[in-house]
Amino acid sequence: MPAAPSSDVPLFDDRALADPYPLYAQLRETGPAVYLTRYGVWAIPRHREAEAILHTPDTYGSEGGVALTEPANTRILAGTVLASDAEQHIRLRRVLSAQLAPRTMRRLVAVVTARAERLVEEHVADGGFDAAALARHMVCDTVMELMGLPEETRAYLLTGAAATFDVFGPDNERYQRALPVASRMVAFLHEAVTRDTVAPESWMGAIFQAVDDGRIEEKDAIPLASAYTAASMDTTILGITEAIAQLARHPQQFAWIRQDPTCATPAFHEALRLEAPIQGFGRMVTETADVDDTRLEAGEQVWLLYGSAGRDRLAWGPDADVFNVRRRRADRHLAFGGGPHLCAGIPLAELQARAVLRALAAQCTNLTTAGEPDRVLNNLLRGWERMPLAVKRASATPAMRAQADHP
Ligand code: HEM
């Protein structure tokens, strides 16, 4: 076999986190599996191989391999749906699936749509708004209600979730700062999420019901609850903010959504392809495997670069770096992962994004950038902390049109 390709790119330094794309291009050019000497892990930077690995869970396991450090894999992630394999994974995932299935989501359409219309109206009222604040408001209101946790836990959960994503990364300064916060979040969930505190008809209530029915064990309840708290908020907030920001930079494409609101979901997927909110996740190699010409041994780890896969010209063509709402099948991206661990929350993420983008398109004629945004810097998450935009309001808001239609 030829010598294995390797690279010493500082993938998790602040500069790289702010703009990883030149490094991703370098890695894709180097090979389909590139050994990252700084982190002791194989980067998988191209779409095709990353997708194939996601669909080969018997060779590339999640248990003990999702994060880059041992404390994160054993202390923070142990027992979670994300970091379990085979039968245990199926058992845990089944509890979440019922709550997140498309048919359950359909029951939420009216309330989520009404929330989006109201929040957009409030946020754009003065002609300028922060897209990240709008997305945060929308997602936190929706998810807190679904989770069934007391309102006072909201701020704590948001801080803890961002720290959890930092902890997935290598042992750098960011990781060191986040590890105690993420550990406290786990302890906090054990205290705050109990049969007495959660609403019965809620995601958390359904977890305790599954314990009581004998479908999962008591010890599985809190790790399973952490899947909701960590996975459902930042990801969707960043994805929706990015989609709005891209539409502000591409007025013609915002006009298309105004003409045809069915473009809203493709716009969301295109934003996720271009700027994956979770840039990468790991897997543990459980038996000798070849990625193209490169041999990987059991016990080694791969790092699936979802953010790089979305820019891979071999998969997306020469305009891979361009935002295009009309791109064919943009939803093939890997920003939601793939295979058995494919994001369980896609219908909910889509529902919220569609509602916000449609409400913006209905209520605003123009959307433009208005000042310098602030970036989130996190070992895993990518997106905007603050995204100031300006709008021109449409003369008739949806509420006004509804009144006109049904006087
Ligand atoms: C734009 C929004 C979102 C993005 C980009 C996203 C991304 C992802 C990714 C990449 C994975 C796969 C992890 C892997 O490779 O192992 C994942 C898994 C997961 N996501 Fe999402 N997610 C989003 C929204 C949500 C929402 C709203 C929920 C709702 C609870 C959710 C719940 C989950 C769960 C439970 C898993 C674990 C699935 C498993 O291991 O079987 N996600 N997500």
Side-chain angles (χ1 to χ4, degrees):
M1 281 215 172
S6 68
S7 166
D8 67 350
V9 291
L11 214 49
F12 296 91
D13 283 10
D14 282 6
R15 260 181 64 193
L17 293 178
D19 181 15
Y21 298 112
L23 300 186
Y24 288 165
Q26 209 177 305
L27 290 173
R28 287 196 302 273
E29 194 60 32
T30 307
V34 183
Y35 192 72
L36 298 179
T37 52
R38 285 172 192 253
Y39 311 110
V41 63
W42 291 93
I44 309 294
R46 300 182 190 164
H47 178 96
R48 190 164 70 99
E49 290 76 14
E51 187 176 39
I53 287 175
L54 286 167
H55 286 89
T56 322
D58 290 345
T59 307
Y60 299 95
S62 291
E63 190 177 338
V66 181
L68 281 179
T69 66
E70 209 254 331
N73 281 318
T74 54
R75 268 196 266 151
I76 308 290
L77 291 166
T80 63
V81 64
L82 197 63
S84 57
D85 290 315
E87 289 305 312
Q88 174 67 351
H89 174 249
I90 293 171
R91 213 177 354 262
L92 296 177
R93 174 131 182 166
R94 208 172 273 148
V95 179
L96 304 183
S97 300
Q99 304 300 310
L100 296 167
R103 68 177 179 286
T104 315
M105 290 304 119
R106 278 196 285 279
R107 292 203 289 270
L108 297 177
V109 171
V111 66
V112 170
T113 304
R115 175 174 295 135
E117 288 179 354
R118 179 177 50 76
L119 288 178
V120 166
E121 203 150 352
E122 280 169 27
H123 279 255
V124 305
D126 297 332
F129 73 108
D130 172 6
L134 167 63
R136 206 173 293 124
H137 206 155
M138 174 73 195
V139 172
C140 291
D141 281 4
T142 303
V143 169
M144 284 306 295
E145 195 174 297
L146 290 169
M147 276 199 287
L149 285 178
E151 179 57 30
E152 52 279 16
T153 60
R154 176 189 293 228
Y156 203 95
L157 294 177
L158 265 178
T159 319
T164 305
F165 282 109
D166 259 336
V167 162
F168 279 81
D171 185 351
N172 56 10
E173 223 182 296
R174 204 173 286 292
Y175 165 94
Q176 285 296 340
R177 271 200 310 270
L179 191 58
V181 183
S183 305
R184 274 201 300 278
M185 161 104 162
V186 175
F188 171 77
L189 288 176
H190 278 276
E191 277 167 33
V193 184
T194 66
R195 284 176 175 75
D196 298 333
T197 56
V198 306
E201 302 289 320
S202 68
W203 287 349
M204 298 300 178
I207 290 178
F208 287 118
Q209 190 59 54
V211 175
D212 296 342
D213 295 348
R215 283 177 280 142
I216 57 170
E217 293 178 40
E218 186 81 41
K219 70 168 175 50
D220 297 328
I222 299 305
L224 197 50
S226 74
Y228 285 133
T229 56
S232 60
M233 296 213 262
D234 298 80
T235 50
T236 318
I237 295 167
L238 296 174
I240 293 176
T241 307
E242 186 64 48
I244 300 173
Q246 291 292 345
L247 292 169
R249 291 196 202 111
H250 298 90
Q252 176 59 54
Q253 301 195 39
F254 184 58
W256 290 342
I257 297 189
R258 283 183 48 73
Q259 283 156 15
D260 176 7
T262 63
C263 293
T265 309
F268 180 50
H269 281 287
E270 178 65 349
L272 298 178
R273 176 193 70 79
L274 203 62
E275 296 281 357
I278 296 177
Q279 289 281 295
F281 265 140
R283 292 289 188 272
M284 183 58 74
V285 183
T286 54
E287 58 191 18
T288 306
D290 294 328
V291 177
D292 206 3
D293 278 348
T294 303
R295 170 139 300 179
L296 313 188
E297 298 295 347
E300 293 188 309
Q301 211 180 351
V302 290
W303 192 248
L304 306 169
L305 282 169
Y306 302 144
S308 172
R311 302 290 187 111
D312 183 358
R313 291 177 180 210
L314 296 172
W316 302 100
D319 67 343
D321 291 323
V322 176
F323 179 77
N324 177 8
V325 165
R326 291 183 173 166
R327 183 179 298 278
R328 237 185 107 250
R329 296 273 341 267
D331 63 353
R332 290 180 295 120
H333 63 74
L334 301 180
F336 285 123
H341 290 274
L342 175 73
C343 175
I346 297 174
L348 178 59
E350 283 183 342
L351 172 61
Q352 295 178 91
R354 189 166 50 236
V356 171
L357 297 183
R358 284 185 178 189
L360 270 173
Q363 296 187 37
C364 310
T365 54
N366 262 29
L367 187 62
T368 49
T369 51
E372 277 303 299
D374 297 329
R375 183 165 279 297
V376 168
L377 281 190
N378 183 288
N379 278 333
L380 244 72
L381 297 175
R382 179 167 177 78
W384 303 106
E385 181 70 39
R386 199 177 68 91
M387 173 52 68
L389 301 178
V391 286
K392 272 204 193 120
R393 305 208 43 209
S395 44
T397 64
M400 289 151 74
R401 270 200 299 278
Q403 255 183 0
D405 290 347
H406 309 283

